[in-house]
Amino acid sequence: MSTEPGPPRLTVVGAGPAGLAAALAAAGRGVRVTVVDAARAAGGQFYRQPSAGLGARRPQALHHQWRTWRRLRDGLAHEVAAGRVTHLPDHHVWCVEPHVDGPARFTVHALLGPDREKPVEVRADAVLLATGGYEKVLPFPGWTLPGVVTAGGAQAMLKGALAVSGRTAVVAGTGPLLLPVATGLAAAGVTVAALVESARPGALVRRAGALTRRADKLAEGAWYGAELLRHRVRTLVRHTVVEAHGEDRLEAVTVAELDTEGRVRPGTGRRIPCDTLAVGHGLLPHTDLAEALGCRIDSTGARAWGDEEQRTDVPRVWVDEEQRTDVPGVWAAGETTGVGGAALSLAEGHIAGRSVAARLRGRVPDPGEWARAAKSRAELRQFFGVLDAVYVPPAHWTEQVTDDTVVCRCEEVTAGAVREAVGELGAGDLRTVKLLTRAGMGWCQGRMCGPAVAGITGCDQAVARRPFAEPVPLGVLARAGGTGEGPDTDAPP
């Protein structure tokens, strides 16, 4: 229950689909909500919008579910104008501090602006983590060349800046994200020379029962397929990028066919000229803030590649049927609880917001309040569980990573150095590999190279439990625990 008179206070970290759905659901039931988000505008990656200064005439052309976005956008504006929601954009949360006693149960610590030097504190009776996900990056020879970008990076450039990194592109990797990236680039006038998918989409047929419950998602996939045909995009399934070529920037890529066990078939390589490679191998949940709070982190498994049934452990925040974590007062929704797209994030956010509103007023919520959202959540979790079982990286992708391939870009650590740490220096876990090679000691603290180092070494990728989710200036740490410089969330915004 709230420890101060007045409406209970909720801080939502993240203004993507899950965060916005939760904020609107809670605010509509008498909760004072503060939405803290690192981006300069609400919407998250899925609803990323171009700057108004670019004068985009039809931004909806880059998006699905535009009506849903308008409803969220207008709802947020209405709640902000009514004083029930405070929206804090360009605020980078680095820590959520719980309190045993005092006027608030939590203090959310953030850094304001691109310089990230001005500290901001927001106090709340409950916190909802809607921190989204990030791309899984797997290295290969030539992946550091200019012109090689992540699939999500290419999409962000297109949505946010109406820009592309070249005129001829190859989209490669695995997962449903490749489809909107390829069709989006093609619609923007880029020649998409090939869409290279390493998985076997035909495996979906054996799991058709779970897919047919979401006809809307099947129709969306069919639309993407029709767009690829219309733009004459060549699709290569069960293929992978073996190497990127170029001197000062990308000039071509070599792709090759994969066998049933996920190994490259000798003699099947083909060279495709291009100046852009958009490559992605799925998404990983952002769990840093939850880990620091001590929330339970679970792993989900995916199976693929013939009889080997490769298992890929993906850490995610555990939640119950109300989207509560196992830490009292902390809820989580969206990709941080398991990657499943915008529709699933909306359902989880709606459930979480209603649960927060009830629990902060000392009431046990009636699940009937969100029965429709719960049904959608169950169907979508099953749907994306099937996709996760099919769209995984090739089981033997590390065999194509040469010793001179850079694995950790921050510290310029090669795959050879990582292998030496295990094979000759006796490292048996990722922490020891990090200490011996500096892989993961850079700006990203292993968020980008962690999966690659784990794959190359064969070590388990354990929960990091970092104390901070963002790099923090020492001056800010020295002042932490004071009154802060953030807004007074007890007063009307």
Side-chain angles (χ1 to χ4, degrees):
M1 301 236 352
S2 175
T3 57
E4 289 189 346
R9 299 166 299 174
L10 167 68
T11 294
V12 176
V13 182
L20 292 178
L24 296 180
R29 287 156 183 81
V31 177
R32 276 287 302 277
V33 181
T34 301
V35 179
V36 186
D37 189 48
R40 295 185 178 181
Q45 170 67 6
F46 189 82
Y47 291 119
R48 183 186 291 268
Q49 304 295 308
S51 169
L54 295 176
R57 289 175 293 180
R58 296 182 62 250
Q60 64 270 26
L62 299 173
H63 293 271
H64 279 285
Q65 304 175 13
W66 185 255
R67 290 182 180 178
T68 301
W69 161 241
R70 287 196 304 179
R71 185 170 68 251
L72 292 171
R73 178 195 63 193
D74 295 346
L76 177 65
H78 175 76
E79 295 295 345
V80 169
R84 291 184 287 266
V85 173
T86 301
H87 178 210
L88 303 179
D90 210 6
H91 282 62
H92 305 263
V93 176
W94 57 272
C95 177
V96 178
E97 179 186 5
H99 303 294
V100 177
D101 51 24
R105 295 181 65 182
F106 300 94
T107 298
V108 177
H109 296 272
L111 298 171
L112 174 61
D115 294 334
R116 306 187 189 185
E117 293 185 352
K118 182 180 179 181
V120 176
E121 294 180 1
V122 180
R123 294 171 178 80
D125 303 305
V127 172
L128 191 147
L129 304 176
T131 48
Y134 62 100
E135 284 194 88
K136 183 175 184 178
V137 179
L138 300 179
F140 51 88
W143 76 293
T144 58
L145 280 170
V148 180
V149 297
T150 65
Q155 188 181 56
M157 288 174 59
L158 187 58
K159 286 183 175 181
L162 304 180
V164 295
S165 62
R167 303 312 308 167
T168 303
V170 170
V171 179
T174 188
L177 178 61
L178 302 186
L179 295 176
V181 172
T183 55
L185 290 174
V190 176
T191 298
V192 180
L195 190 159
V196 183
E197 169 60 66
S198 64
R200 300 172 294 168
L204 294 172
V205 176
R206 297 197 302 270
R207 301 170 173 87
L211 300 179
T212 54
R213 297 184 184 91
R214 296 298 305 196
D216 57 330
K217 305 304 292 184
L218 295 177
E220 184 179 328
W223 182 87
Y224 283 129
E227 286 296 292
L228 293 175
L229 288 174
R230 186 169 73 87
H231 289 287
R232 299 180 180 179
V233 176
R234 177 174 47 171
T235 301
L236 302 174
V237 299
R238 294 175 67 176
H239 280 67
T240 190
V241 172
V242 174
E243 185 175 359
H245 309 280
E247 295 297 330
D248 297 326
R249 67 164 291 115
L250 180 69
E251 298 172 2
V253 298
T254 294
V255 303
E257 185 180 350
L258 295 165
D259 64 19
T260 57
E261 295 181 346
R263 287 189 168 93
V264 170
R265 291 185 184 277
T268 62
R270 66 177 77 179
R271 189 182 178 105
I272 303 176
C274 61
D275 56 14
T276 295
L277 170 62
V279 60
H281 295 92
L283 299 175
L284 297 172
H286 263 303
T287 60
D288 291 356
L289 290 174
E291 291 169 9
L293 278 165
C295 298
R296 173 180 163 186
I297 307 297
D298 275 354
S299 293
T300 56
R303 298 179 300 174
W305 299 112
D307 297 332
E308 291 191 7
E309 291 194 338
Q310 175 198 4
R311 194 161 187 84
T312 303
D313 291 326
V314 178
R316 60 181 177 87
V317 180
W318 177 89
V319 290
D320 66 8
E321 290 302 304
E322 295 182 32
Q323 299 295 138
R324 294 180 297 174
T325 72
D326 62 334
V327 174
V330 179
W331 281 253
E335 309 282 46
T336 191
T337 68
V339 174
L344 177 56
S345 295
L346 289 169
E348 291 185 355
H350 182 77
I351 293 169
R354 283 176 171 260
S355 172
V356 170
R359 294 288 179 179
L360 285 182
R361 295 190 179 280
R363 183 171 65 85
V364 177
D366 177 7
E369 295 182 19
W370 56 69
R372 183 176 178 182
K375 180 175 182 293
S376 179
R377 178 180 63 182
E379 292 174 350
L380 287 165
R381 282 179 176 174
Q382 187 176 27
F383 183 94
F384 283 98
V386 170
L387 297 189
D388 286 344
V390 173
Y391 292 106
V392 295
H396 300 279
W397 64 268
T398 59
E399 295 176 3
Q400 304 305 311
V401 182
T402 58
D403 282 348
D404 60 352
T405 301
V406 172
V407 174
C408 172
R409 299 183 70 164
C410 295
E411 297 293 324
E412 298 185 349
V413 180
T414 65
V418 170
R419 287 171 175 144
E420 181 184 11
V422 176
E424 298 184 22
L425 302 180
D429 56 71
L430 290 187
R431 183 176 183 275
T432 306
V433 172
K434 180 178 181 179
L435 293 174
L436 292 173
T437 66
R438 295 192 61 82
M441 286 191 180
W443 182 266
C444 81
Q445 285 292 289
R447 292 170 180 83
M448 300 300 289
C449 66
V453 175
I456 291 170
T457 62
C459 298
D460 292 332
Q461 192 171 359
V463 175
R465 292 299 296 269
R466 303 179 183 91
F468 307 141
E470 295 267 348
V472 185
L474 290 177
V476 172
L477 289 177
R479 296 193 299 270
T483 58
E485 301 181 43
D488 179 2
T489 56
D490 295 322

